Structures are given as structure tokens and as C-alpha cells.
Amino acid sequence: MSAENSGPDSFMARAIELSLENIRSNQGGPFAALIVRDAEIISEGTNRVTSTNDPTAHAEIVAIREACRKLRRFDLAGCEIYATCEPCPMCLGAIYWARLARIYFANTAADAAKIGFDDSLIYEETRRPLTERRIPMIPLMRDAAIRVFDAWEVKPDKISY
């Protein structure tokens, strides 16, 4: 997309167009996302959960992975994301880890819940103590595992992120 035709509305319009194409092609759910830097689209992603049998293949994750690959870096500082829906907890976490500067979204989490994409369980679970979660979380071998963290902490040539 050229800079003269770019702006938040045009980027979101492109994301919405991609989400519609995605459902028409039966590649996944009605979601798409773009990563944009300096008014240029770096990457596009659509939901690929069902076509790849990958529950993490949400549009935002697909777009983040592609942008990082293209830019050859593991953070997207200075970039923005345009998502056709308010990001789910997984995608929101990835957006923060990628250090995106801004999130634009169209549909809300409530809109998504109305058509069967309800993330409220995950939000509720993260607020519960570990011992009260639906999926049991069982601490195991911390004494052995903490030594790896100790090794990381003193590693002189580590790449921090």
C-alpha cells in the first residue's frame, strides 16, 4: 500500500477485506491483522487455526511472525498492529512481547463472543490461584530447573529480550 493511500482507516479496511477473503476460502476464522511501520504494510496475517491444525495460528500471531521474519528481528518496536477484532489473551500477550507501539482493532471481544469466540474463560482463569484453575498446574523439579535460570543470569554473551 502506498504512503499516499495509507492511514488508519485504509489499513483497517485492508484487514477487514482479508478477513472476509479468509472465511470465503475456508482457511480459518473471520480474523485478519496487519503489521504497519512508517505507513507501510510489513506483513499481513489471517486466522489459520483450522487449515493448519494450529490453535496458535491466530491472525495477529501469523502477522507478527511474518513481520519478524521480514525485518529479521524479534521485536517490532516502532510498528503498529491493525486487527479486525480486539486481541484475545494469547495475541495480546504476543503483542506486548513484540513491543508493538499501538493496537488498532475493529470488532470487540463482546462481538466475538456473540459468534462463538469467547475468551472470558481464559481471563477468568488467569485471575484464579494456581490451585483453583480448571487445568491443573503442578509444580515439579524447580530446584533442578532454577539452575538453568542461574546459568542464564550469569551468561556473558546472552541476547536479552
Side-chain angles (χ1 to χ4, degrees):
M1 182 172 290
S2 65
E4 61 271 4
N5 294 333
S6 62
D9 287 349
S10 64
F11 292 129
M12 188 59 76
R14 173 63 183 152
I16 292 167
E17 176 185 333
L18 285 171
S19 66
L20 186 57
E21 289 173 13
N22 199 53
I23 63 170
R24 287 181 175 156
S25 67
N26 291 319
Q27 294 298 304
F31 306 99
L34 310 176
I35 303 295
V36 174
R37 182 179 69 178
D38 299 328
E40 294 290 332
I41 296 173
I42 304 299
S43 67
E44 299 177 335
T46 56
N47 180 283
R48 298 281 190 234
V49 170
T50 57
S51 62
T52 62
N53 294 316
D54 179 354
T56 69
H58 289 200
E60 296 91 334
I61 302 296
V62 171
I64 288 168
R65 287 175 180 163
E66 179 63 12
C68 288
R69 186 190 67 74
K70 280 185 177 177
L71 296 176
R72 305 182 111 195
R73 40 189 261 218
F74 56 80
D75 78 78
L76 297 174
C79 297
E80 302 171 331
I81 190 165
Y82 289 78
T84 57
C85 190
E86 184 178 351
C88 75
M90 176 183 69
C91 293
L92 187 60
I95 288 165
Y96 275 94
W97 278 115
R99 296 177 178 87
L100 286 154
R102 187 170 287 114
I103 303 166
Y104 293 94
F105 67 93
N107 293 314
T108 67
D111 296 330
K114 287 179 187 174
I115 63 164
F117 297 94
D118 188 355
D119 301 320
S120 61
L121 170 70
I122 299 168
Y123 285 111
E124 291 166 11
E125 285 290 296
T126 59
R127 288 190 288 269
R128 293 180 192 274
L130 297 180
T131 57
E132 295 178 18
R133 293 188 179 170
R134 289 183 187 201
I135 299 174
M137 296 190 65
I138 304 153
L140 187 64
M141 296 184 65
R142 181 175 180 269
D143 290 341
I146 200 72
R147 289 194 291 273
V148 178
F149 279 14
D150 293 341
W152 172 259
E153 191 174 31
V154 299
K155 182 176 171 47
D157 61 341
K158 67 184 168 204
I159 299 172
S160 297
Y161 58 95

